[in-house]
Short mmCIF file of all heavy atoms in Angstrom, two decimals:
data_model
loop_
_atom_site.label_atom_id
_atom_site.label_comp_id
_atom_site.label_asym_id
_atom_site.label_seq_id
_atom_site.Cartn_x
_atom_site.Cartn_y
_atom_site.Cartn_z
N PHE T 433 -70.78 -117.81 -15.61
CA PHE T 433 -70.71 -116.36 -15.83
C PHE T 433 -69.35 -116.09 -16.51
O PHE T 433 -68.38 -116.86 -16.38
CB PHE T 433 -70.80 -115.54 -14.59
CG PHE T 433 -72.10 -115.79 -13.82
CD1 PHE T 433 -72.16 -116.73 -12.81
CD2 PHE T 433 -73.24 -115.11 -14.21
CE1 PHE T 433 -73.40 -116.92 -12.12
CE2 PHE T 433 -74.42 -115.30 -13.57
CZ PHE T 433 -74.52 -116.22 -12.55
N ALA T 434 -69.26 -114.99 -17.20
CA ALA T 434 -67.97 -114.58 -17.76
C ALA T 434 -67.02 -114.31 -16.59
O ALA T 434 -67.41 -113.90 -15.47
CB ALA T 434 -68.20 -113.25 -18.62
N GLU T 435 -65.71 -114.52 -16.89
CA GLU T 435 -64.70 -114.28 -15.89
C GLU T 435 -64.68 -112.77 -15.55
O GLU T 435 -64.79 -111.94 -16.43
CB GLU T 435 -63.36 -114.72 -16.37
CG GLU T 435 -63.19 -116.20 -16.49
CD GLU T 435 -63.28 -116.96 -15.16
OE1 GLU T 435 -62.72 -116.40 -14.20
OE2 GLU T 435 -63.88 -118.03 -15.09
N ARG T 436 -64.43 -112.43 -14.31
CA ARG T 436 -64.27 -111.01 -13.97
C ARG T 436 -62.93 -110.46 -14.48
O ARG T 436 -61.96 -111.16 -14.43
CB ARG T 436 -64.33 -110.86 -12.43
CG ARG T 436 -65.69 -111.10 -11.87
CD ARG T 436 -65.73 -110.76 -10.41
NE ARG T 436 -67.10 -111.06 -9.94
CZ ARG T 436 -67.55 -110.55 -8.79
NH1 ARG T 436 -66.82 -109.81 -8.04
NH2 ARG T 436 -68.80 -110.86 -8.45
N PRO T 437 -62.99 -109.26 -14.95
CA PRO T 437 -61.68 -108.66 -15.42
C PRO T 437 -60.84 -108.29 -14.24
O PRO T 437 -61.26 -108.18 -13.09
CB PRO T 437 -62.18 -107.40 -16.11
CG PRO T 437 -63.48 -107.00 -15.41
CD PRO T 437 -64.12 -108.31 -15.01
N LEU T 438 -59.54 -108.17 -14.51
CA LEU T 438 -58.57 -107.85 -13.49
C LEU T 438 -58.69 -106.42 -13.06
O LEU T 438 -58.21 -106.01 -12.05
CB LEU T 438 -57.14 -108.17 -13.94
CG LEU T 438 -56.93 -109.66 -14.20
CD1 LEU T 438 -55.46 -109.83 -14.73
CD2 LEU T 438 -57.04 -110.42 -12.94
N VAL T 439 -59.26 -105.54 -13.94
CA VAL T 439 -59.45 -104.17 -13.68
C VAL T 439 -60.92 -103.90 -13.60
O VAL T 439 -61.70 -104.70 -14.00
CB VAL T 439 -58.78 -103.23 -14.76
CG1 VAL T 439 -57.28 -103.43 -14.70
CG2 VAL T 439 -59.33 -103.53 -16.09
N GLY T 440 -61.30 -102.71 -13.16
CA GLY T 440 -62.75 -102.39 -13.00
C GLY T 440 -63.51 -102.41 -14.37
O GLY T 440 -62.86 -102.23 -15.41
N GLY T 441 -64.75 -102.69 -14.27
CA GLY T 441 -65.61 -102.64 -15.50
C GLY T 441 -66.13 -104.01 -15.86
O GLY T 441 -65.99 -105.02 -15.13
N ALA T 442 -66.83 -103.99 -17.00
CA ALA T 442 -67.43 -105.22 -17.51
C ALA T 442 -66.47 -106.21 -18.04
O ALA T 442 -65.37 -105.82 -18.47
CB ALA T 442 -68.45 -104.89 -18.53
N PRO T 443 -66.82 -107.50 -18.10
CA PRO T 443 -65.93 -108.47 -18.74
C PRO T 443 -65.68 -108.15 -20.16
O PRO T 443 -66.51 -107.64 -20.85
CB PRO T 443 -66.68 -109.86 -18.58
CG PRO T 443 -67.92 -109.53 -17.89
CD PRO T 443 -68.08 -108.09 -17.65
N ARG T 444 -64.54 -108.53 -20.67
CA ARG T 444 -64.17 -108.23 -22.09
C ARG T 444 -64.56 -109.41 -22.98
O ARG T 444 -64.66 -109.29 -24.19
CB ARG T 444 -62.67 -107.95 -22.19
CG ARG T 444 -62.33 -106.71 -21.40
CD ARG T 444 -60.87 -106.40 -21.46
NE ARG T 444 -60.68 -105.28 -20.56
CZ ARG T 444 -59.68 -104.48 -20.58
NH1 ARG T 444 -58.80 -104.69 -21.43
NH2 ARG T 444 -59.60 -103.49 -19.74
N GLU T 445 -64.75 -110.58 -22.37
CA GLU T 445 -65.21 -111.77 -23.10
C GLU T 445 -66.42 -112.29 -22.49
O GLU T 445 -66.64 -112.17 -21.26
CB GLU T 445 -64.11 -112.83 -23.07
CG GLU T 445 -62.76 -112.41 -23.73
CD GLU T 445 -61.73 -113.54 -23.66
OE1 GLU T 445 -62.10 -114.69 -23.53
OE2 GLU T 445 -60.55 -113.22 -23.75
N GLY T 446 -67.24 -112.94 -23.31
CA GLY T 446 -68.49 -113.54 -22.80
C GLY T 446 -68.16 -114.89 -22.12
O GLY T 446 -66.98 -115.24 -21.86
N VAL T 447 -69.20 -115.59 -21.79
CA VAL T 447 -69.05 -116.89 -21.16
C VAL T 447 -68.44 -117.80 -22.15
O VAL T 447 -68.83 -117.90 -23.35
CB VAL T 447 -70.46 -117.42 -20.68
CG1 VAL T 447 -70.34 -118.83 -20.13
CG2 VAL T 447 -71.07 -116.53 -19.74
N ARG T 448 -67.44 -118.58 -21.66
CA ARG T 448 -66.73 -119.58 -22.56
C ARG T 448 -67.69 -120.71 -22.85
O ARG T 448 -68.42 -121.18 -21.97
CB ARG T 448 -65.51 -120.05 -21.89
CG ARG T 448 -64.45 -119.05 -21.78
CD ARG T 448 -63.12 -119.68 -21.23
NE ARG T 448 -62.18 -118.62 -20.97
CZ ARG T 448 -61.28 -118.80 -20.09
NH1 ARG T 448 -61.12 -119.88 -19.38
NH2 ARG T 448 -60.37 -117.78 -19.90
N GLU T 449 -67.72 -121.13 -24.08
CA GLU T 449 -68.58 -122.25 -24.47
C GLU T 449 -68.04 -123.59 -23.83
O GLU T 449 -66.81 -123.77 -23.80
CB GLU T 449 -68.58 -122.39 -26.01
CG GLU T 449 -69.56 -123.39 -26.53
CD GLU T 449 -69.63 -123.41 -28.03
OE1 GLU T 449 -69.48 -122.32 -28.65
OE2 GLU T 449 -69.94 -124.49 -28.54
N HIS T 450 -68.97 -124.36 -23.37
CA HIS T 450 -68.58 -125.64 -22.75
C HIS T 450 -68.06 -126.59 -23.80
O HIS T 450 -68.68 -126.68 -24.88
CB HIS T 450 -69.76 -126.23 -22.04
CG HIS T 450 -69.46 -127.58 -21.40
ND1 HIS T 450 -68.70 -127.67 -20.29
CD2 HIS T 450 -69.74 -128.80 -21.73
CE1 HIS T 450 -68.55 -128.94 -19.89
NE2 HIS T 450 -69.23 -129.67 -20.83
N VAL T 451 -66.97 -127.23 -23.55
CA VAL T 451 -66.41 -128.19 -24.51
C VAL T 451 -66.77 -129.62 -24.01
O VAL T 451 -66.41 -130.02 -22.88
CB VAL T 451 -64.86 -128.05 -24.56
CG1 VAL T 451 -64.28 -129.07 -25.48
CG2 VAL T 451 -64.49 -126.62 -25.01
N HIS T 452 -67.41 -130.34 -24.90
CA HIS T 452 -67.80 -131.72 -24.55
C HIS T 452 -66.73 -132.71 -25.04
O HIS T 452 -66.18 -132.54 -26.09
CB HIS T 452 -69.14 -132.11 -25.28
CG HIS T 452 -70.30 -131.22 -24.81
ND1 HIS T 452 -70.99 -131.53 -23.65
CD2 HIS T 452 -70.82 -130.12 -25.29
CE1 HIS T 452 -71.97 -130.60 -23.48
NE2 HIS T 452 -71.85 -129.72 -24.45
N GLY T 453 -66.49 -133.66 -24.26
CA GLY T 453 -65.58 -134.77 -24.65
C GLY T 453 -66.31 -135.77 -25.45
O GLY T 453 -67.51 -135.72 -25.64
N GLY T 454 -65.60 -136.71 -25.97
CA GLY T 454 -66.16 -137.82 -26.79
C GLY T 454 -66.93 -138.75 -25.89
O GLY T 454 -66.79 -138.77 -24.67
N PRO T 455 -67.74 -139.56 -26.49
CA PRO T 455 -68.50 -140.59 -25.71
C PRO T 455 -67.52 -141.52 -24.96
O PRO T 455 -66.47 -141.87 -25.49
CB PRO T 455 -69.32 -141.36 -26.77
CG PRO T 455 -69.18 -140.66 -28.04
CD PRO T 455 -68.03 -139.71 -27.92
#
Side-chain angles (χ1 to χ4, degrees):
F433 301 96
E435 292 293 321
R436 289 189 181 196
L438 296 176
V439 297
R444 295 178 188 199
E445 296 180 23
V447 177
R448 292 185 187 154
E449 188 173 327
H450 179 72
V451 178
H452 296 276

